[in-house]
Amino acid sequence: MLEDDLKTQLKGYLERLQRPVVLVASVDDGTKSAELLELLEDIRTQSDKVSVEIRRDDDQRKPSFAVTSPGHDIDLRFAGLPMGHEFTSLVLALLQAGGHPSKAAPALLEQVANLEGEYRFETYFSQSCQNCPDVVQALNLAAVLNPGIHHVAIDGALFQEEVDAREVMSVPTVFLNGALFDQGRMSLEQIVARLDTGAAQRAAAGIAGKDLFDVLVVGGGPAGAAAAVYAARKGINTGVVAERFGGQVLDTMAIENFISVQETEGPRLAAQLEAHVRQYDVDIMNLQRAEALEQDADGITTVRLASGASVRGRTVVLSTGARWRQMGVPGEDQYRNKGVAYCPHCDGPLFKGKRVAVVGGGNSGVEAAIDLAGLVAHVTLIEYDDKLRADEVLQRKLRSLANVRIITSAQTTEVLGDGSRVNGLVYRDRAGGDSHRVELEGVFVQIGLLPNTEWLKGTLALSPRGEIEVDAAGRTSLPGVFAAGDATTVPYKQIVIAMGEGAKAALGAFDHLIRSSSPVAETAAA
């Protein structure tokens, strides 16, 4: 099951086990059960602290296995084979059940351990989903820390009947005590904030009491992380307010154009960004959404947060990034996560053998159609323009696929459904004006990005597209307020460009400080 080099790596990790781990397999006579037993045997042979028990007559999903440790009340289970992106989740579960400490913040771990009540979580994942491991790993850790928390991670592609019955059409999808809890990427911090009802109020109270920052960064993506590092290295008081640290990078699959790094994945890069920022004395305020920007007569800028708290900076770097653009047609919102999806890597496996459409003929849309063609029965690619806009090499690959239909000069006008899931799409022929219906079960939207700047309207200068207008130094129309990344008018929305712009904005903010009457300027003069 496991390649020799992977076994060698696993053996090194399992040397960190501090106590025995027992893998309890629930299997039948099927092929997948045989594969699961082979996987568990490969794991067992890498450490004398790991043992395997086999059960065939229990009422658990088959194939599945529990990760346990004698004398410790841990209810943690994988239903299916946690390979692909989830293999890391399996390794972490083994280590944590075996007593290896988590690197999460001690205060967060204590908060999880102190949660009262019984929480039975079920998470549906796909092995190709880069968003799923964060959720699976967070809930696995919670199950290790708190005996009242139970978790099973379920491979949706393997348990297709179950997925259909519960109408799971997007991953990760999490159920709590039998009811839908949430969908999409979530960190342990976010999950605990939902369970611990007083957490948000405590966080807001803590933020309200913070001192004035020299540089306040709003946004935790590549631009925000670079700005925070460059500001902190100047020795000035730096803070970061982020709705989710990592930003849109968390939703990115393969990254192959980040110079000096031949290949990486978005979640891995996001974790590295946060780790780099935390090497410095930076105050990170996560899970905080900015709602308003105000500036007083002394040039102090206040950022008001959705939590009710406010935080102030002598200078501010806005790096709020962008999000997937929506079509804005009837049915899109109604059937979001019920057939309307935005991540083909994550949700594609749930549409195996079905018919889907991809809306958008740029690189993202064509790449999505190519990937989906290997999974689904048929792909219809719909492009508003009279020709595809993707790179020619991608177009050639797309046109070589037998189960793909390309429709250009087509405007999507409606997503259709039966009330619970998508069953069709309507588009208008822009040349002739006629409307056509396409019968299908899924719609993947790939039509670009929108800047996260609505909260800034009327405060500083925005372009007609809603992007923050900046000059060559990252300055906005407000003195002392800078901006960087995908939320700005700087062309070419790329990670490497966002990082450079974030660094430049932080240097611009520092230059502003030393040229003003701030304490930073007085220190520099001394």
Side-chain angles (χ1 to χ4, degrees):
M1 171 62 69
L2 298 180
E3 299 291 337
D4 288 342
D5 59 343
L6 196 54
K7 289 181 182 178
T8 300
Q9 294 177 38
L10 180 60
K11 183 179 181 66
Y13 283 121
L14 296 183
E15 289 175 355
R16 304 175 189 178
L17 294 176
Q18 299 178 12
R19 63 193 185 211
V21 171
V22 180
L23 305 178
V24 183
S26 298
V27 296
D28 53 22
D29 295 327
T31 301
K32 288 298 180 181
S33 287
E35 291 179 8
L36 176 62
L37 291 176
E38 184 181 354
L39 170 64
L40 299 186
E41 179 63 15
D42 282 350
I43 295 172
R44 185 196 66 79
T45 58
Q46 305 313 310
S47 173
D48 58 6
K49 285 189 170 65
V50 178
S51 60
V52 176
E53 297 179 2
I54 300 174
R55 297 177 183 174
R56 295 181 179 272
D57 57 354
D58 59 10
D59 58 358
Q60 298 291 341
R61 293 176 178 87
K62 294 180 175 59
S64 69
F65 66 98
V67 181
T68 67
S69 182
H72 298 270
D73 192 355
I74 299 173
D75 187 6
L76 184 166
R77 178 174 292 270
F78 289 95
L81 279 71
M83 301 301 290
H85 288 290
E86 291 303 336
F87 187 73
T88 300
S89 301
L90 169 58
V91 174
L92 285 174
L94 293 168
L95 292 176
Q96 290 160 0
H100 185 69
S102 168
K103 294 181 180 179
L108 177 60
L109 299 177
E110 183 179 1
Q111 188 179 7
V112 174
N114 290 336
L115 286 172
E116 297 181 354
E118 291 290 320
Y119 304 94
R120 297 189 177 276
F121 286 100
E122 298 166 287
T123 302
Y124 291 88
F125 68 85
S126 69
Q127 293 184 12
S128 60
C129 170
Q130 76 271 21
N131 294 326
C132 296
D134 276 6
V135 180
V136 171
Q137 292 167 21
L139 289 171
N140 282 348
L141 175 58
V144 171
L145 295 171
N146 189 321
I149 298 176
H150 317 268
H151 182 227
V152 54
I154 307 160
D155 184 350
L158 187 57
F159 293 88
Q160 191 67 52
E161 290 185 6
E162 190 173 327
V163 163
D164 291 341
R166 300 182 86 164
E167 298 185 346
V168 175
M169 304 189 73
S170 175
V171 290
T173 291
V174 181
F175 288 83
L176 172 58
N177 298 334
L180 181 64
F181 177 72
D182 211 337
Q183 294 172 304
R185 177 185 295 278
M186 290 175 285
S187 66
L188 180 59
E189 191 175 7
Q190 289 172 303
I191 294 169
V192 173
R194 291 274 301 275
L195 302 178
D196 185 353
T197 56
Q201 292 180 337
R202 294 195 300 271
I207 291 172
K210 293 185 182 294
D211 293 334
L212 176 68
F213 290 100
D214 293 317
V215 176
L216 174 63
V217 180
V218 183
V229 168
Y230 268 71
R233 286 177 62 87
K234 295 295 184 181
I236 55 180
N237 186 17
T238 304
V240 176
V241 173
E243 188 167 357
R244 58 171 189 162
F245 207 100
Q248 192 192 0
V249 168
L250 290 166
D251 303 322
T252 304
M253 185 65 172
I255 299 172
E256 299 177 347
N257 57 354
F258 186 57
I259 309 305
S260 83
V261 179
Q262 294 184 11
E263 183 179 356
T264 187
E265 296 174 349
R268 183 186 306 166
L269 178 58
Q272 291 169 335
L273 289 175
E274 184 171 358
H276 195 174
V277 173
R278 290 189 182 277
Q279 283 186 345
Y280 298 92
D281 188 17
V282 176
D283 190 340
I284 297 178
M285 295 157 276
N286 205 10
L287 306 184
Q288 299 296 325
R289 187 176 77 253
E291 284 197 335
L293 186 77
E294 302 168 356
Q295 194 172 78
D296 63 22
D298 296 325
I300 300 300
T301 302
T302 297
V303 177
R304 300 198 181 281
L305 307 175
S307 64
S310 295
V311 61
R312 302 176 303 143
R314 291 188 174 89
T315 62
V316 170
V317 175
L318 301 171
S319 55
T320 48
R323 64 188 184 278
W324 288 115
R325 184 186 297 272
Q326 295 181 240
M327 298 183 292
V329 302
E332 181 178 17
D333 284 338
Q334 178 182 357
Y335 293 106
R336 183 190 303 274
N337 296 326
K338 298 177 181 178
V340 174
Y342 300 84
C343 179
H345 299 293
C346 303
D347 301 331
L350 299 178
F351 293 85
K352 184 177 181 180
K354 299 180 180 179
R355 301 161 298 177
V356 303
V358 173
V359 180
N363 281 351
S364 295
V366 171
E367 287 174 350
I370 292 170
D371 289 344
L372 289 166
L375 294 170
V376 304
H378 190 270
V379 179
T380 301
L381 187 141
I382 298 176
E383 165 57 28
Y384 181 86
D385 205 348
D386 61 359
K387 60 183 178 181
L388 300 182
R389 294 167 286 107
D391 295 342
E392 183 60 32
V393 64
L394 294 174
Q395 292 192 42
R396 287 198 300 269
K397 174 63 176 177
L398 181 70
R399 296 182 192 280
S400 72
L401 302 174
N403 63 336
V404 175
R405 178 190 178 195
I406 302 170
I407 305 175
T408 56
S409 296
Q411 180 181 8
T412 303
T413 58
E414 186 176 3
V415 176
L416 305 173
D418 61 7
S420 61
R421 61 180 62 195
V422 166
N423 61 20
L425 175 149
V426 178
Y427 72 89
R428 182 180 66 85
D429 184 341
R430 295 179 58 233
D434 296 337
S435 289
H436 304 270
R437 172 171 175 151
V438 181
E439 302 291 336
L440 44 74
E441 289 77 41
V443 179
F444 289 83
V445 183
Q446 300 283 290
I447 56 174
L449 302 170
L450 276 177
N452 297 317
T453 58
E454 291 86 352
W455 63 288
L456 296 168
K457 288 181 179 178
T459 304
L460 44 69
L462 302 176
S463 74
R465 294 170 55 88
E467 297 169 326
I468 304 169
E469 294 184 352
V470 293
D471 67 8
R475 302 182 190 92
T476 71
S477 59
L478 274 181
V481 178
F482 297 76
D486 288 1
T488 73
T489 51
V490 172
Y492 312 121
K493 312 306 184 186
Q494 299 290 315
I495 293 171
V496 68
I497 293 174
M499 286 184 175
E501 292 295 311
K504 183 168 66 177
L507 294 174
F510 181 72
D511 184 70
H512 177 86
L513 288 170
I514 63 176
R515 294 175 187 277
S516 68
S517 57
S518 72
V520 174
E522 295 172 5
T523 301

